[in-house]
Amino acid sequence: GESVGLHLPTLSVQEGDNSIINCAYSNSASDYFIWYKQESGKGPQFIIDIRSNMDKRQGQRVTVLLNKTVKHLSLQIAATQPGDSAVYFCAETGGSEKLVFGKGTKLTVNP
Amino acid sequence: GAVVSQHPSRVICKSGTSVKIECRSLDFQATTMFWYRQFPKQSLMLMATSNEGSKATYEQGVEKDKFLINHASLTLSTLTVTSAHPEDSSFYICSARDLLGTEAFFGQGTRLTVV
């Protein structure tokens, strides 16, 4: 069941601001990273991915940065909108077919 | 993108009964499907990896006799929660990889409540 006292990290931003969501990973063998958006009561939705041979990848309003030296991944959302409010998860895979999810960050966009 | 359909989206069952959840890849063939469980305010935890035509591989701590997985075709995997108890109440999510094996596509999840 639910662990008492376990809370998702939260980030609250104003509409129009840029958002940065961070994720740390521990597996040095991970070679593929994905950011997912999950709205309440729904399954994860793919946002953007990056392979370990890259350090930056851009999509529409989103950018993923990968720092393999410190095992850090970030998701930048430009001009954040209320519809961006959700929980964001990073996920990694490497050496196996399994996709391992990070803890998640709850993003709240204030109008 | 590819579509993964999960059914039912919500189910309420009595303690001691069994519940089956279906995961279908609608427009692609999936040799591998994954089953996750997500408790409130927590991340997705991988339960098992389901391979078409073979036994599922369960993660440590997941009881294979309680969570029965069947992957009988390239488009369908099922998860049966047997002898359900209130602590099995959770959000169950499946995902599927196509034959290229790159991106994983997720179902919409199933909210299981055991009363």
Side-chain angles (χ1 to χ4, degrees):
Chain A
E2 181 179 12
S3 300
V4 175
L6 183 66
H7 297 286
L8 284 174
T10 60
L11 174 65
S12 185
V13 301
Q14 290 297 122
E15 182 177 359
D17 286 352
N18 297 332
S19 302
I20 300 176
I21 299 171
N22 298 301
C23 179
Y25 65 95
S26 58
N27 186 358
S28 300
S30 294
D31 59 6
Y32 180 54
F33 305 86
I34 312 163
W35 278 101
Y36 288 96
K37 172 186 181 183
Q38 187 181 29
E39 297 175 323
S40 181
K42 297 183 180 180
Q45 176 187 354
F46 175 92
I47 302 175
I48 191 168
D49 60 359
I50 189 168
R51 293 204 173 273
S52 59
N53 60 351
M54 303 173 69
D55 53 20
K56 180 179 180 179
R57 190 156 187 239
Q58 288 184 292
Q60 188 176 18
R61 282 202 307 120
V62 294
T63 301
V64 55
L65 299 177
L66 174 63
N67 185 330
K68 295 181 289 293
T69 303
V70 295
K71 299 191 188 68
H72 185 267
L73 195 67
S74 69
L75 176 69
Q76 300 177 3
I77 304 174
T80 315
Q81 303 166 1
D84 295 327
S85 293
V87 178
Y88 289 81
F89 293 97
C90 65
E92 58 176 297
T93 185
S96 75
E97 57 187 352
K98 296 191 291 188
L99 199 58
V100 177
F101 280 77
K103 291 183 179 179
T105 297
K106 182 177 181 180
L107 174 65
T108 301
V109 182
N110 302 306
Chain B
V3 177
V4 174
S5 176
Q6 211 173 315
H7 177 81
S9 57
R10 290 178 176 272
V11 58
I12 300 173
C13 71
K14 292 183 177 180
S15 285
T17 61
S18 296
V19 173
K20 180 184 284 188
I21 303 170
E22 292 186 348
C23 180
R24 292 181 187 274
S25 56
L26 295 187
D27 50 2
F28 68 100
Q29 293 183 325
T31 53
T32 305
M33 291 185 174
F34 304 89
W35 287 96
Y36 294 83
R37 180 169 51 185
Q38 185 179 31
F39 292 111
K41 292 184 169 58
Q42 294 190 28
S43 187
L44 284 74
M45 297 302 296
L46 181 65
M47 299 175 67
T49 302
S50 166
N51 294 295
E52 186 266 338
S54 64
K55 291 183 178 180
T57 303
Y58 290 81
E59 294 300 302
Q60 191 172 12
V62 178
E63 301 173 59
K64 62 179 181 180
D65 295 330
K66 180 168 184 62
F67 299 100
L68 301 179
I69 291 172
N70 184 279
H71 193 157
S73 76
L74 285 173
T75 59
L76 174 64
S77 176
T78 60
L79 168 68
T80 301
V81 183
T82 63
S83 186
H85 290 103
E87 56 265 32
D88 297 324
S89 298
S90 188
F91 194 52
Y92 292 86
I93 307 169
C94 71
S95 76
R97 277 208 169 118
D98 61 19
L99 297 180
L100 293 177
T102 305
E103 187 175 342
F105 304 97
F106 284 82
Q108 63 269 48
T110 297
R111 173 74 60 193
L112 170 64
T113 304
V114 184
V115 297

